[in-house]
Structures are given as structure tokens and as C-alpha cells.
Amino acid sequence: MKTIANVHQYEAWNGYEGRHWAENQDRYEAMVGGSNRPLFEAARIGQDDRVLDIGCGAGLTTRRAAVLAPRGRALGVDLSAPMLECARAVAAEKGITNVSFEQGDAQVHPFAAGEFDVVISRGGIWYFADPLAAFANIGSALRPGGRLAITTPDSTGGRVGTGFPDIFRIMGEYLPDPPVLATEDESRALTTMATPGDIATVLTGAGFVSVAVEPHGYTAMLGRTAKDAADFVFGLGPVRHWFRDADADTEHRAHEAVRAALAPHEAAGGVRQPVSGFVATAIRG
Ligand SMILES: C[S@@+](CC[C@H](N)C(=O)[O-])C[C@H]1O[C@@H](n2cnc3c(N)ncnc32)[C@H](O)[C@@H]1O
């Protein structure tokens, strides 16, 4: 096992959180798959490209990159053993041979210098304790002139009426210590690199050029019914963490409040919620 700098993330993604993602891959895909299009449009992967996928999780985007680069290859790096196990199993089942996966912390992983043409990440870059060090390390893996394309959620809570910030605000009414969204108190924020300014500052500071950060939006499918969707969001790792000390009655009332808020969104195809995020592109200088 290589060096791990982000020990708490390592524990979470090799504990409950990683198992929940591994066991509910389809549900997570229904939640985040809407960001595939902006990610791959921005990455412009060519047939010969060597692609590095940061925080690849169960590996859907890594496999897609490998298919887009039949004369190249794709490597997924992630902290989570349970998610990587799924990633490898699905790649083998689908017969994709130019893809591989390594367990490691992208902030400190010993990449060979300039071994990749493209770096991608779908929501895997907002967990670094030291984003500048992480992106300097990730940048060292890109050849000069290589491209970076990443998507990341907008968790600033700035746009009232958008799915998760509202759901989290409702949950917060039942918690003695409500989750803090980035714009309210960056030092206690749910994520790092939550604003376009943060993302651009980190990428520029890490030596990338032509940095661009654009907003994008998509629709997340959370469940078949409002109850199913509320059950799912109450199973998310951060939510389990927030409610770890709550008594059963408090959590039940919070669950009911979220279910009621989602009920008007029930439709034949399921419960959909808008998600806003950012897609960032940059070139290694
Ligand atoms: C929100 S999940 C996204 C997974 C995957 N990219 C997807 O879209 O399905 C975040 C992923 O980032 C990984 N991760 C978090 N911190 C990491 C780090 N320091 N190095 C590598 N992977 C990390 C987690 O293990 C997890 O798989």
C-alpha cells in the first residue's frame, strides 16, 4: 500500500461510504451520470490518448475513456478498495483490456512524470486536504501540453431551489450542528474547491494554464418514489455521519420532512432533482 495523506477520506471510502457506493452503483450512476456528457465533451479523448481518471470509484468513466482510446489506455486511481474491486470486475466482464486500476491517494501517488495525455475526474477532486499539493502531483503525471477536464458539484448553496442544497438545509433543521455549505463558512465547508474561484486558484497555483471553469446543470434521479428517494439520500455517507448521534425519532422526523419535500417531484419516471456543478478545463503548462 502506498502513502496515504488523506487518512479520514481513506477510512470513509474503505468503510461505510465506499461499500454503499459499491453496493448501489446503479443508484449512484442515476444520481451523477448526467455529468458524463460535459466531462467527456471537455476531455476530447483521442484514440491514442493515455488517460488518468482521478477518484475513479467504480470505474465507469475510466472504462469509457479506455473505449474512446483504443490505441491508448486508461488508469483509474482511487482510495477505495471496495469500489476498485467493482471497477476491475466490470472491466473484466466487459472485456476492456486497456484499462487498469490502482489504489492510492492522488494527492501523493507516485505517478511517473508526464505519463498521461489527459486527466479526467467525475466528482473525485473535492476531497483533498491540500488541493494545491494534489493538483501539483496530478499535473506532474501529465505531459506538458496535456489536458485536464474535471467535473465537480456546486455545493455553495448559492442557487436556492436546486436539489441537494435544499435537501441538506431541511436535514439541518433536525441537527444540533447543521452541515455548513461552502459560502457560509469555508473553513467548515462540506467540500474543498467548491467555487469557480477556488478551482481556478488551485489549478493556476499548481502550474496549469488556460484554466476555464464553467457551470453546468443536469438532473439526478434519486428514486422511484419520494420515500425511496428519501431512503437513498439518508443512506449517503455524509448524511449518515451528520445523523450519527441523532435519536431514532429525530431522524424519523427529518426523513419525513425530506420525503414531503420530494413528494411534489414524484413522476412516472421517478423522483428527479436538479444538480448544478462545474466543469473545469486546463492545460499543463
Ligand atoms: C463522489 S465519488 C466519485 C466516484 C467516481 N468518480 C464516480 O463518478 O462514480 C469520489 C471518489 O473519490 C475518491 N477519492 C477521494 N479522495 C481521494 C484521493 N485523495 N485520492 C484518490 N481518490 C480519492 C473516493 O474514494 C471516491 O471513489
Side-chain angles (χ1 to χ4, degrees), residues 4-26:
I4 299 297
N6 293 278
V7 175
H8 293 302
Q9 292 295 336
Y10 176 83
E11 287 167 356
W13 292 105
N14 285 283
Y16 174 84
E17 178 118 41
R19 280 198 308 279
H20 197 254
W21 273 76
E23 288 163 8
N24 295 280
Q25 280 176 67
D26 291 351

Side-chain angles (χ1 to χ4, degrees), residues 14-97:
N14 285 283
Y16 174 84
E17 178 118 41
R19 280 198 308 279
H20 197 254
W21 273 76
E23 288 163 8
N24 295 280
Q25 280 176 67
D26 291 351
R27 299 215 48 168
Y28 278 104
E29 199 51 40
M31 186 172 83
V32 300
S35 53
N36 291 340
R37 202 165 96 181
L39 175 68
F40 283 97
E41 280 176 3
R44 294 183 288 108
I45 293 171
Q47 300 225 333
D48 299 296
D49 280 338
R50 300 159 299 165
V51 184
L52 172 62
D53 187 359
I54 300 294
C56 64
L60 181 137
T61 48
T62 330
R63 293 190 297 274
R64 187 169 289 191
V67 170
L68 289 169
R71 294 194 299 266
R73 65 186 177 89
L75 170 69
V77 170
D78 201 284
L79 288 174
S80 174
M83 292 170 81
L84 290 170
E85 200 179 307
C86 293
R88 292 189 184 103
V90 178
E93 189 185 300
K94 291 186 180 295
I96 304 171
T97 53

Side-chain angles (χ1 to χ4, degrees), residues 154-213:
D154 174 0
S155 60
T156 60
R159 289 178 242 174
V160 176
T162 60
F164 280 106
D166 283 353
I167 292 172
F168 294 161
R169 271 192 203 96
I170 293 169
M171 290 176 175
E173 289 167 20
Y174 296 84
L175 293 166
D177 192 15
V180 179
L181 299 172
T183 44
E184 293 160 351
D185 178 357
E186 290 210 0
S187 64
R188 296 176 57 220
L190 190 56
T191 69
T192 58
M193 297 185 73
T195 67
D198 288 348
I199 298 168
T201 302
V202 168
L203 292 178
T204 306
F208 286 89
V209 297
S210 305
V211 175
V213 185

Side-chain angles (χ1 to χ4, degrees), residues 111-135:
F111 298 111
E115 72 172 305
F116 295 100
D117 303 295
V118 185
V119 166
I120 61 169
S121 180
R122 184 181 73 174
I125 55 91
W126 44 305
Y127 304 94
F128 300 125
D130 187 342
L132 201 56
F135 276 94

